[in-house]
Each structure stands twice: as structure tokens, then as C-alpha cells.
Amino acid sequence: MKELHIISFNYPYPPSYGGIIDVYYKIKALSDCGVKIHFHCFVDDIPEKVDSEVKNITENIFFYKKNRNPFLYFSPVPFAAVIRQSDKLLENLKKINAPVLFEGLQTTQIIDQLSSQKHKLYLRLHNNETEYYKGLSSSEKNIFKKIIFRIESLKYKGYQKKRLQEFEKVFCLSEKEYQETLAYSNNASLIHIFHGNQIVKSLDKKGTCFLFHGDLSISDNRKALDETIHLFEDLPQYNLIVASDRASDEIKKKISRIENISLVPIETHENLIRLFENAHANILLSYQQSGTKVKLFNALYNSRFVIINQNITDDSSLTRLCLMGTKKEEIRQHIITAATSDYNENETRKMVLEKNHSDHAKAEAMIKIIFKD
């Protein structure tokens, strides 16, 4: 029996945003391949009940509260990492001799205490954190948050350079992060994001609207929404649905004043899938280069046209399945083109996605590396 510790930066259910989607569907795929998962999870509050969807794919589940002491902002260690430390975690890791997979650099502060142990250590690198926080700082309008994100970016610069060399293997999400990790050490491996989709939906030629979806508590998504709203204000003949459960009052007021744009909650995964199935085209924009966004896979598997800018993916095989523009005018023209075109790309997508991006194949690749002995 193959056994594996996985340390997560957050509770992975429901899998509703990028990093957590990768965590949940990776555990599920590894479990389906016969790996016994000992799951360790940092949370703000320990849940009273564990969802059956998580119970059914894990052998054990351990929770640890994040340390929200504000004075930790003054630590030389990145705040996201220093708040995720636990003596109890160290004790639980010692009880079961198995490899350890860290989900994100923010879970790795305990490594200094693990150095005398026999565990083999692996990292799932979710972001180049230096660039990620630098991008958040650039997109953020709140001056206090802008400064905090910039400081976190600077802290991560030295932290990740040191940490990335301490693992048997670093599993990178994207070609960009793979190449950046190779610059630090030679232990990088490219395993694309786990996304949970299995079959490309067969859809008819026309949808009813354009769709923008995302977590609007994130500054990059808010900036992308602003750009999308400006585009559709100038294209009143096309209807845009903005789907999000985290829209501020300011965003709600802005959208309510525009006749061809409406805001709807997502609430459940089933609702999101229905939105995808109804959409004629999806608008996916980002102002941070961080590999392939999981929302791209969701749109490609479950919807029709996908209009992106250059930061949504660095995978050329996925870019060819989209309408890609680098400038606002190019995005605008793609909206007009998609609106007047029939969708007939199901078979092309199936060939690319089901062959090259299945979760099962990615899990098998990780297993071969972690359990090579």
C-alpha cells in the first residue's frame, strides 16, 4: 500500500477556486489510483463536520488553526508561511513514516524541524509567490494592502530560493514556473493543474450570453472585471452575465446601472456548470502571469467559445483552443466575432483535452516519481 502525507494551506471542499481545486482533485485522483492519503489541513476555524467528499478520499484528516497574530507580519518569514506552523503537525507526521507532499510554499515552514526525520519531501508549487504577490500589489487599489502585498513579495524572494532546493521533486503547474524552478535547482517536474473535468461537453451551436466568472475578492479578478465591463458598455447589443459569490456593494451598484450586464451568484458547482452550458462565449482576463488558470479548463470542458488574454495560459496547445488577444481592441473584436459565429469545436477539444490533460494521467505521473523505489 502506497501512503502519502499531504499538507494543505486550506480546506479543499467545496473546490471553488484555483489552488483548492488543484488540491481536491489531486487527492481524489491519487486516491483513485490506490494511494492512502494522510491529510493535514490549515484552517481559520476547525470545522465541526468533515464533508463526505473529503472523508471518502482520505485515510486520516488532521486540522490545525492558522496563527493570526498580527505581529507575525514583522517576521522575516512570509506571513502566509509563518502562520502555518504547528507542533501537533510535526507529531502527526512522525507517527506515520510516509513521503510528505506540501501544497504551496506557504505550508513549508515546518521543514526546518523535519530535517532530522526520514520523510522524503515533495512540493506542489502553486505559484512563483514573489511574482504572485508583486502582481497582487500592482492590481490592488487599497494603499495599505498594496504595501502588504509588496512586502510579502520581497520576503518570498529569498524564502523560495532557499526552499525550492530542499525537495526531492518540485511539481510545477506551468511551463513558466517549471523554467523558473530550474533556475534555482534541478528538481523540477511539470505536472499541469488538476481540474476535475473528465469529458468535454457536447453542446449545440449557440448559447444565450457572454459569461465572466470569478472570485471578486481578488484584486486581479476585479481589475479583469473592470476591463470586461468597459468592453460591454461599448457593446450594448450583447448581454454579459457576471457570476460571483463575492461581489462588493460597489461592484453591485456599478453593474446595476448597465442595462446589458447582470450579476448572479454561483452558490453551487451545479449552478456554475449551468452557466457554462448556457454561455455562448466566456471572457477570461488576467494581469498576472502564473501559468494556466483552472477557470480555463472549466470553460473549455463545459462551455463554448473562450476569449482570453495572454496571461490566462502559457500552454500553446490550450491557446489554440481559444480566441486570444493582447490588446483591448483585439478582445473587443473577438467578442463580435464569437457573437456571430456558430460553435462547432467539440471534437477538436476532445482530442486535445482528454488526451493531454486528464487528472488520472497526472496522478500516475506523480506516483511514479514519489514511489519510484
Side-chain angles (χ1 to χ4, degrees):
M1 174 68 75
K2 298 177 176 68
E3 298 184 72
L4 178 67
H5 293 286
I6 294 183
I7 305 174
S8 178
F9 51 88
N10 214 337
Y11 184 61
Y13 200 85
S16 56
Y17 65 92
I20 281 302
I21 289 171
D22 182 73
V23 173
Y24 175 75
Y25 288 110
K26 184 187 316 101
I27 294 172
K28 187 175 187 305
L30 289 169
S31 177
D32 289 344
C33 291
V35 179
K36 185 189 289 186
I37 306 293
H38 305 287
F39 186 56
H40 307 263
C41 186
F42 282 95
V43 291
D44 292 314
D45 297 295
I46 295 174
E48 295 179 5
K49 179 185 174 185
V50 178
D51 294 279
S52 60
E53 290 85 353
V54 178
K55 269 186 183 177
N56 293 340
I57 58 176
T58 54
E59 184 71 15
N60 303 297
I61 304 172
F62 307 96
F63 290 104
Y64 314 93
K65 285 195 73 168
K66 300 173 198 171
N67 184 349
R68 287 298 187 180
N69 184 340
F71 288 104
L72 292 176
Y73 277 111
F74 300 103
S75 167
V77 176
F79 182 74
V82 76
I83 66 173
R84 291 177 171 90
Q85 291 190 91
S86 169
D87 292 336
K88 192 67 178 175
L89 169 59
L90 190 62
E91 290 176 23
N92 289 331
L93 291 173
K94 288 178 180 178
K95 291 175 184 174
I96 303 167
N97 185 18
V100 183
L101 175 63
F102 294 85
E103 291 287 352
L105 280 165
Q106 61 266 54
T107 65
T108 61
Q109 182 60 8
I110 197 174
I111 283 179
D112 293 331
Q113 297 165 272
L114 273 177
S115 56
S116 62
Q117 302 299 311
K118 295 180 181 179
H119 300 283
K120 287 191 174 182
L121 308 181
Y122 298 86
L123 173 67
R124 176 50 148 178
L125 186 66
H126 284 263
N127 290 300
N128 177 331
E129 300 292 353
T130 298
E131 293 301 316
Y132 175 71
Y133 280 99
K134 185 178 178 181
L136 287 181
S137 177
S138 176
S139 297
E140 183 58 59
K141 293 179 181 178
N142 181 297
I143 188 64
F144 177 73
K145 289 183 179 180
K146 184 181 283 287
I147 292 169
I148 291 293
F149 290 148
R150 186 61 176 151
I151 292 172
E152 192 81 342
S153 171
L154 294 171
K155 287 182 181 180
Y156 263 117
K157 191 168 187 178
Y159 185 82
Q160 68 186 23
K161 186 174 183 179
K162 173 192 173 188
R163 280 284 183 251
L164 289 177
Q165 300 176 47
E166 298 178 315
F167 299 95
E168 299 281 329
K169 188 68 72 174
V170 176
F171 298 109
C172 303
L173 284 166
S174 71
E175 181 68 33
K176 176 178 178 289
E177 282 143 8
Y178 172 68
Q179 294 298 335
E180 289 167 348
T181 301
L182 284 179
Y184 291 122
S185 59
N186 63 355
N187 61 352
S189 180
L190 178 58
I191 304 283
H192 287 290
I193 196 164
F194 289 77
H195 50 75
N197 297 287
Q198 296 179 345
I199 299 170
V200 174
K201 288 276 175 64
S202 292
L203 300 170
D204 54 27
K205 294 181 179 182
K206 289 288 187 181
T208 60
C209 62
F210 287 80
L211 176 65
F212 176 103
H213 79 283
D215 180 352
L216 295 176
S217 68
I218 297 173
S219 55
D220 184 56
N221 287 341
R222 293 196 301 271
K223 185 174 180 179
L225 177 60
D226 283 343
E227 187 73 15
T228 304
I229 287 173
H230 290 151
L231 284 163
F232 279 85
E233 281 183 306
D234 291 336
L235 295 167
Q237 67 273 40
Y238 305 130
N239 292 322
L240 172 70
I241 289 178
V242 177
S244 181
D245 293 325
R246 296 186 177 183
S248 66
D249 289 340
E250 180 185 355
I251 290 172
K252 290 176 183 177
K253 288 178 182 176
K254 182 187 294 185
I255 290 175
S256 69
R257 292 194 291 264
I258 306 169
E259 192 171 329
N260 63 321
I261 304 178
S262 56
L263 176 68
V264 301
I266 297 173
E267 294 177 343
T268 67
H269 181 68
E270 291 72 23
N271 287 344
L272 180 58
I273 295 300
R274 276 194 290 273
L275 288 166
F276 280 134
E277 290 173 351
N278 290 332
H280 188 65
N282 298 260
I283 311 296
L284 304 183
L285 307 178
S286 177
Y287 300 91
Q288 290 182 257
Q289 289 185 327
S290 56
T292 301
K293 307 291 190 293
V294 70
K295 65 176 71 176
L296 175 60
F297 283 111
N298 289 338
L300 287 173
Y301 272 86
N302 298 292
S303 196
R304 295 178 183 80
F305 293 107
V306 182
I307 299 169
I308 65 171
N309 69 357
Q310 69 277 16
N311 294 328
I312 292 295
T313 183
D314 58 3
D315 185 324
S316 59
S317 70
L318 296 177
T319 302
R320 287 194 289 271
L321 300 178
C322 304
L323 300 170
M324 201 272 279
T326 58
K327 298 177 182 178
K328 183 176 180 179
E329 186 52 43
E330 291 173 332
I331 300 293
R332 184 180 188 277
Q333 187 55 53
H334 284 319
I335 293 170
I336 296 168
T337 301
T340 55
S341 301
D342 289 340
Y343 171 74
N344 53 15
E345 299 175 7
N346 290 76
E347 294 307 315
T348 303
R349 287 189 187 179
K350 285 179 181 178
M351 287 175 58
V352 174
L353 296 171
E354 293 177 11
K355 178 182 177 182
N356 300 324
H357 291 281
S358 83
D359 285 354
H360 181 85
K362 284 175 274 195
E364 289 286 6
M366 292 184 77
I367 288 167
K368 284 181 182 176
I369 293 170
I370 295 173
F371 301 102
K372 58 181 179 291
D373 298 331

